[in-house]
Amino acid sequence: MKVLVIGNGAREHALCRSLSLDPDVTALHCAPGNAGIAEVAELHQVDALDGKAVSTLATELGADLVVVGPEAPLVAGVADAVREVGIPVFGPSGEAAQIEGSKAFAKDVMASAGVPTARSYVCTTPEEIEEALDAFGAPYVVKDDGLAAGKGVVVTADLEAARAHANACERVVIEEYLDGPEVSLFAITDGDTVVPLQPAQDFKRALDGDEGPNTGGMGAYSPLPWADPKLVSEVMETVLQPTVDEMHRRGTPFSGLLYAGLAITSRGVRVIEFNARFGDPETQVVLARLKTPLAGVLLAAAKGDLADVEPLRWSDDAAVTVVVASHNYPATPRTGDPITGLDKVAAEDAPHAYVLHAGTKRDGDAIVSAGGRVLSVTATGKDLTKARDRAYEAVSRIHLDGSQHRTDIAAKAAEGA
């Protein structure tokens, strides 16, 4: 099987790493990729948002499967363009990807499907914004209706900050605050059959103790020793299957990766948001634990054959990923700094710990930073404590001037396990 992955982040590196380990994959390509992905896949330059360019590349390569990683190409309809040339693609249509592309659309789908979520208002005027903020009170949850690369949500007790964010958005969803821990649960679907993956938890705030600004995610871990063993089956029954069924009923079947961001509240499980693709950095830990070869599962979803796939096999090991970010992230990050120590991790920590690249590029013989989140240092171990120790040991070998990372990823869960 020849596989083409679209994207250039740590999520795509995690996907490429898993696909490169699959004996059925005979050729692996990635566009545009990054310095780390180049070690496991052949890179190609392409505008990931240009459906015609992506479908042309897939045709030229003779790809048997295209996997679209990020949300922006999916919302732009890149998967549709690939399907039109007859190549199986893992990723929803542009219309179905609106479940992530528009918070208001997702709320409408959830209401029709009877999926439990926060009460909300969709606002387009300052007057509507004031009414909604007043109705719910603090803490305020204000979400840009469109795509914002994981940074369109403000949760704050500061009315002025909530109002400013809301008024800066063309259309905004203001909703009630959901208490309780958050969980990410991915499911692979072909539009009918739904196959859940293992749950993970990510860390959105920039600083230890969940302080500082929201980011795209500073780390993640799996499994969740504190979660109810029935969580996955409950979410399948009340959230994932009803949502996939509702999308089918609307004539916009959702095929690909449906990501449910959940709050485990005092009143039960509630959906915070849906995404239309693998989440970053949770993908890094979920795929680290998946023993079933990945390519066949993604191809079955792309071709509508997911019901024929054998149950997924999982490692009992725990996995932890720690994001190393650039100076000043999540504001405008500094880029172009050399990264050293990657060879030490490969020599001394493999196979239990490894580095997945996000914002990196090659500059002559050096690898330099090229984005806000630069690396996802991922490790496995018999439990979360061992996986954490290995991840942070590997982080300590890496040098990137001015870089930052959280020191408390999975700490509470490891203590309580």
Side-chain angles (χ1 to χ4, degrees), residues 42-389:
E42 187 179 335
L43 301 192
H44 305 268
Q45 280 309 309
V46 77
D47 178 355
L49 297 173
D50 184 339
K52 188 163 188 336
V54 172
S55 60
T56 300
L57 174 63
T59 303
E60 287 171 356
L61 294 173
D64 301 300
L65 172 67
V66 175
V67 180
V68 183
E71 60 273 27
L74 290 168
V75 172
V78 167
D80 303 88
V82 176
R83 277 193 192 95
E84 279 166 21
V85 298
I87 298 173
V89 58
F90 183 80
S93 66
E95 217 172 339
Q98 284 303 308
I99 203 159
E100 176 170 5
S102 167
K103 303 283 188 294
F105 175 82
K107 286 289 187 185
D108 188 54
V109 169
M110 286 188 264
S112 299
V115 168
T117 186
R119 292 178 299 124
S120 63
Y121 293 101
V122 180
C123 309
T124 53
T125 67
E127 293 75 26
E128 289 173 346
I129 287 166
E130 289 306 316
E131 278 180 39
L133 292 171
D134 188 51
F136 289 130
Y140 304 99
V141 181
V142 185
K143 299 180 175 182
D144 190 335
D145 181 52
L147 289 181
K151 301 186 200 78
V153 180
V154 165
V155 181
T156 179
D158 182 341
L159 177 60
E160 280 307 313
R163 185 182 285 134
H165 183 63
N167 282 310
C169 303
E170 206 169 306
R171 189 156 86 139
V172 68
V173 176
I174 296 174
E175 62 184 42
E176 68 175 325
Y177 176 74
L178 297 174
D179 63 340
E182 294 184 15
V183 173
S184 301
L185 185 62
F186 303 165
I188 291 171
T189 177
D190 59 7
D192 291 304
T193 301
V194 181
V195 176
L197 305 187
Q198 289 288 310
Q201 186 174 56
D202 75 331
F203 294 77
K204 286 276 189 285
R205 299 282 183 176
L207 308 175
D208 285 5
D210 290 328
E211 299 289 330
N214 242 355
T215 72
M218 294 299 290
Y221 70 94
S222 177
L224 313 180
W226 49 267
D228 186 328
K230 299 192 292 292
L231 176 66
V232 174
S233 57
E234 182 190 336
V235 174
M236 267 292 287
E237 194 179 316
T238 62
V239 174
L240 297 169
Q241 193 70 56
T243 300
V244 169
D245 291 347
E246 172 62 19
M247 294 292 282
H248 201 285
R249 190 190 67 75
R250 290 172 176 236
T252 52
F254 187 100
S255 151
L257 194 290
L258 181 61
Y259 164 136
L262 309 164
I264 313 301
T265 76
S266 51
R267 292 167 294 129
V269 174
R270 298 286 184 274
V271 175
I272 301 168
E273 63 176 355
F274 282 124
N275 290 335
R277 39 72 195 182
F278 280 102
D280 184 343
E282 301 97 319
T283 300
Q284 289 84 303
V285 291
V286 172
L287 291 185
R289 299 184 57 223
L290 179 65
K291 291 171 79 172
T292 300
L294 184 62
V297 182
L298 301 187
L299 183 64
K303 294 173 85 169
D305 300 331
L306 204 53
D308 301 332
V309 169
E310 290 183 9
L312 300 182
R313 293 178 294 111
W314 296 93
S315 166
D316 291 332
D317 281 0
V320 171
T321 196
V322 178
V323 170
V324 176
S326 293
H327 175 72
N328 206 37
Y329 177 77
T332 307
R334 193 173 82 202
T335 58
D337 288 310
I339 303 162
T340 58
L342 298 174
D343 50 347
K344 281 189 194 165
V345 176
E348 299 181 37
D349 300 304
H352 301 297
Y354 48 89
V355 180
L356 298 168
H357 292 231
T360 70
K361 68 176 184 182
R362 192 164 274 288
D363 183 6
D365 289 337
I367 291 175
V368 301
S369 60
R373 291 187 295 175
V374 181
L375 305 168
S376 281
V377 181
T378 305
T380 55
K382 65 177 176 19
D383 54 30
L384 285 173
T385 300
K386 189 66 179 169
R388 283 190 85 246
D389 289 348

